[in-house]
Amino acid sequence: MAKLHEELIQVNNLKKYFRISRKSVLKAVDDVSFSIKKGETLGLVGESGCGKSTCGRTVVGLYDATGGSVLYEGKDVHRLKKDEKLQFKKNAQYIFQDPYASLDPRMTIGDIIGEGMDVHQMHSNEKERTARIHELLELVGLNPEHAVRYPHELSGGQRQRVGIARALAVEPEFIVCDEPISALDVSIQAQIVNLLIELQENLDLTYLFISHDLSMVKHISNRVAVMYLGVIVELASSEELYKNALHPYTKALMSAIPVPDPDVESSRERIILPGDVPSPINPPPGCKFQGRCKYAMPICKEKTPELVDQGDGHFVSCYLHNK
Ligand code: SF4
C-alpha cells in the first residue's frame, strides 16, 4: 500500500435527498462524515440500496449535496468557481460499475479514452494524443491495437480496463471506484483489483472503493466504512474491522463471508438478519438498524446513536458500545 499523507478529502455531515413526490423524500445519504488521506483507499461497503453509490457520486460532484459539505484540499467541491470546477473534474474521476453501459457504443476505444484529454487540452497534436492513448492502453494491460476497436468487440474485463484507462487519461489524484468488479466474472475480478492496487502504488492515487463484496474490500482498503440505510454505522482500519467488528450489522455482514479453510468454513456461524432493509423514504426513528437488531433497547428507537471513536480510529454508532 502507498504511504499515507495528509487528508485529501473531508466529508462533513453530507446529505443527499431525492424528492419522490410532494409528500415523500428519499434520504439516500443522511448525515455522513469521513475523510480520506492522500494515497489511501477507503472502502465503502453495504447492501445494495444503502446509499453508497449516491454518496460516491455526491463526493465527486456528480450530484449536488442536499446538506453538509465535501472538502477537496480544503475547498467545498459543491461551491467551486468555474475554473476550479474544471480542475476538480480532472482531479477526481469515477469508474462505473457496468463497464458496458458506461462506454459509448458508437465511439472507438481510442476516442473514449481521448475524450477527457481533449476537454482538458492535454495534448498539442494528434500524434501526441495517439501516443498517450496507446500508453494508457498498455498501462491497463491492453494493446495499442485496441484503440481502433469498439466496446462490443471487447470482453467485460477488457471494457473495465478501458473504463480505468479513461479515468487515468486526465491524470487524476482521486478515483471513486463504484463496484468496479461486480459485473465481472469471478476469475477476472481479482485481476482488476490487482491492477487498481498496482496503479495506485505507481501513480500515487487515492481511492474511494465502493462494494458490497467485503472480502474484496478488505484486500484493497486501508480503512473500511460500513453503510446501512444512508448512514455509516462503523468505520475502522481494514484489519481491525475484520478482526473485531462491533456493530451488529457489520457482524452479520462478516458472518456471510466464506472462509477458505474447510474446517473453519463448516463451523462458521451465519447471522441471519430478520426482515428486509426498510425503505429510505420512511426510515425508522432512532437507530436505523433497530427493526432488525436482536439487541435493540428502548433508547435505540428514540435517539440516533452517534458515530463514536472507541479508540485507535475504530468508530461505531451503537448504544451497546456508546455508553
Ligand atoms: Fe442495535 Fe441499538 Fe445498537 Fe442499533 S443502537 S445496532 S438497535 S443495539
Side-chain angles (χ1 to χ4, degrees):
M1 294 273 179
K3 200 167 163 222
L4 305 183
H5 308 281
E6 70 273 20
E7 278 169 6
L8 183 66
I9 291 171
Q10 275 180 292
V11 175
N12 304 309
N13 308 104
L14 187 68
K15 293 180 181 170
K16 179 61 192 173
Y17 298 169
F18 296 96
R19 181 157 287 286
I20 303 300
S21 67
R22 266 179 56 208
K23 285 189 179 162
S24 53
V25 170
L26 186 152
K27 296 180 176 180
V29 178
D30 199 11
D31 205 351
V32 160
S33 299
F34 59 83
S35 61
I36 313 178
K37 290 188 174 75
K38 274 188 184 169
E40 183 181 33
T41 297
L42 178 72
L44 189 57
V45 299
E47 292 161 287
S48 75
C50 71
K52 51 194 191 308
S53 289
T54 305
C55 182
R57 285 171 191 225
T58 313
V59 166
V60 294
L62 293 175
Y63 290 149
D64 292 334
T66 307
S69 63
V70 178
L71 305 183
Y72 188 87
E73 292 185 318
K75 285 194 173 170
D76 189 336
V77 307
H78 296 107
R79 292 172 209 283
L80 298 174
K81 295 183 203 124
K82 203 176 165 193
D83 55 331
E84 292 173 330
K85 204 179 265 185
L86 190 68
Q87 185 61 36
F88 176 68
K89 276 187 176 174
K90 180 177 171 297
N91 288 342
Q93 288 291 302
Y94 206 93
I95 296 172
F96 293 88
Q97 173 179 2
D98 184 347
Y100 198 58
S102 69
L103 305 179
D104 188 332
R106 294 158 303 179
M107 287 170 74
T108 63
I109 301 304
D111 281 340
I112 288 170
I113 295 172
E115 202 177 20
M117 291 161 47
D118 300 341
V119 171
H120 295 285
Q121 298 170 356
M122 299 184 70
H123 48 84
S124 43
N125 56 47
E126 196 57 31
K127 198 174 157 205
E128 224 177 88
R129 182 182 189 268
T130 305
R132 175 71 179 142
I133 289 167
H134 289 178
E135 188 187 9
L136 285 158
L137 283 166
E138 283 176 342
L139 194 63
V140 298
L142 295 170
N143 302 316
E145 299 87 72
H146 283 113
V148 292
R149 306 259 192 90
Y150 287 86
H152 74 269
E153 297 178 74
L154 306 188
S155 68
Q158 288 174 326
R159 287 197 288 260
Q160 194 52 291
R161 287 174 194 269
V162 173
I164 295 169
R166 174 175 60 180
L168 294 177
V170 293
E171 297 171 7
E173 298 171 334
F174 171 60
I175 302 180
V176 175
C177 308
D178 186 357
E179 301 260 14
I181 54 167
S182 59
L184 305 175
D185 287 350
V186 178
S187 57
I188 309 295
Q189 290 184 351
Q191 290 176 17
I192 297 294
V193 167
N194 289 336
L195 172 66
L196 288 167
I197 293 173
E198 195 187 306
L199 291 168
Q200 178 176 46
E201 280 169 4
N202 294 338
L203 304 173
D204 204 13
L205 297 166
T206 303
Y207 292 147
L208 176 63
F209 190 91
I210 298 172
S211 180
H212 65 274
D213 182 342
L214 270 85
S215 44
M216 212 44 101
V217 165
K218 181 187 179 190
H219 185 55
I220 195 171
S221 307
N222 301 90
R223 291 184 302 140
V224 177
V226 181
M227 253 185 119
Y228 182 80
L229 210 57
V231 297
I232 289 179
V233 296
E234 190 158 7
L235 193 161
S237 74
S238 182
E239 209 187 326
E240 165 72 4
L241 192 80
Y242 287 81
K243 253 198 294 187
N244 184 29
L246 296 176
H247 196 281
Y249 177 61
T250 313
K251 287 184 179 179
L253 288 183
M254 294 287 178
S255 79
I257 303 176
V259 181
D261 182 333
D263 292 336
V264 181
E265 174 64 14
S266 61
S267 61
R268 179 167 63 96
E269 214 176 304
R270 176 92 201 261
I271 302 170
I272 307 288
L273 294 173
D276 295 317
V277 182
S279 163
I281 297 173
N282 195 13
C287 170
K288 294 196 174 176
F289 190 58
Q290 42 116 331
R292 305 175 78 195
C293 180
K294 66 176 177 182
Y295 307 105
M297 303 165 268
I299 190 174
C300 306
K301 301 186 178 167
E302 288 157 19
K303 210 171 145 219
T304 307
E306 289 189 15
L307 195 63
V308 176
D309 191 351
Q310 307 295 314
D312 284 338
H314 187 159
F315 291 81
V316 67
S317 111
C318 173
Y319 288 120
L320 292 173
H321 305 280
N322 303 349
K323 306 287 185 204

